[in-house]
Amino acid sequence: VGIRYDGYEHMTTYDQAARIVEELYAGGVSSIQMRYRGWFNKGLNNAYPDRVSPIAGVGSAAELRALRDLLGEEGGNVFPDVMLQKVLYGSRHFSPQREAARNVSNQTWLFTDYSRSLQYMSSDYMAGVYYINSPLASAGQVGGFLGDYRKLGLDGVSLGDLGDFLSSDKGRSRQVSRE
């Protein structure tokens, strides 16, 4: 009984990440390559990345560049993470009918991550339900992402789900094989 509330909690801001990096430097660690997840379009389960909307509560673009510069002092870098193959169910600006990969029965693929420890299909905050992005739709998606990402002035990116699986599109009007 109660009222459902979906809220966001910012776990680590850019300033907090910088303090962690300084502590690691003080402890003798150098050349840190940082993968920063959940920095744009609604966090860890980020929406369809055809555009980039950094989360203001995590920090500004200037603070992210300052983190990059701090890491660069010791030969490191920051790599903001983006998912390009998996698209969260219900993402705005994504049309499953046009952009999701299809199987040989012309049905879109929907999946969720499998929790090996609990032996069930997970739907917690880390997993969610995803469509597989069609390889044909990826070009436009990447172009939109890059246009906004370049404005941030960063030189690295983490392709978080690229290589997780090999996809094809068997839609009747748009065949894309794995070869």
Side-chain angles (χ1 to χ4, degrees):
V1 179
I3 298 171
R4 179 181 171 156
Y5 171 75
D6 288 331
Y8 297 101
E9 185 67 33
H10 309 297
M11 300 301 288
T12 307
T13 66
Y14 302 138
D15 286 337
Q16 290 169 333
R19 286 196 299 269
I20 293 168
V21 167
E22 289 169 350
E23 287 180 33
L24 290 168
Y25 284 168
V29 177
S30 64
S31 190
I32 299 169
Q33 308 300 320
M34 181 184 292
R35 176 181 175 197
Y36 202 101
R37 296 183 65 201
W39 65 279
F40 81 112
N41 293 13
K42 298 186 179 183
L44 285 176
N45 288 329
N46 61 269
Y48 183 65
D50 61 337
R51 63 184 80 165
V52 176
S53 299
I55 298 172
V58 175
S60 68
E63 290 170 321
L64 181 56
R65 286 189 296 273
L67 177 60
R68 179 212 46 209
D69 295 342
L70 175 65
L71 288 162
E73 291 174 7
E74 296 283 336
N77 202 351
V78 63
F79 298 94
D81 192 68
V82 60
M83 292 190 319
L84 296 172
Q85 285 190 298
K86 297 189 293 185
V87 180
L88 189 64
Y89 180 84
S91 289
R92 290 182 172 182
H93 311 291
F94 179 77
S95 171
Q97 293 76 21
R98 288 187 314 237
E99 299 168 309
R102 295 181 177 272
N103 62 21
V104 293
S105 299
N106 205 34
Q107 298 173 328
T108 57
W109 290 98
L110 266 176
F111 76 97
T112 183
D113 293 328
Y114 182 76
S115 171
R116 291 181 187 201
S117 61
L118 300 175
Q119 296 183 353
Y120 78 104
M121 300 302 276
S122 178
S123 61
D124 61 14
Y125 74 97
M126 288 286 293
V129 177
Y130 297 93
Y131 287 104
I132 298 173
N133 196 16
S134 170
L136 291 173
S138 294
Q141 180 184 11
V142 170
F145 172 79
L146 283 176
D148 286 349
Y149 189 75
R150 284 186 182 121
K151 295 174 189 173
L152 296 174
L154 300 172
D155 54 1
V157 68
S158 166
L159 303 174
D161 64 353
L162 197 63
D164 282 356
F165 50 85
L166 182 62
S167 66
S168 61
D169 192 344
K170 301 297 183 186
R172 290 189 180 114
S173 63
R174 55 175 201 226
Q175 297 279 322
V176 177
S177 74
R178 297 180 186 195
E179 299 171 9

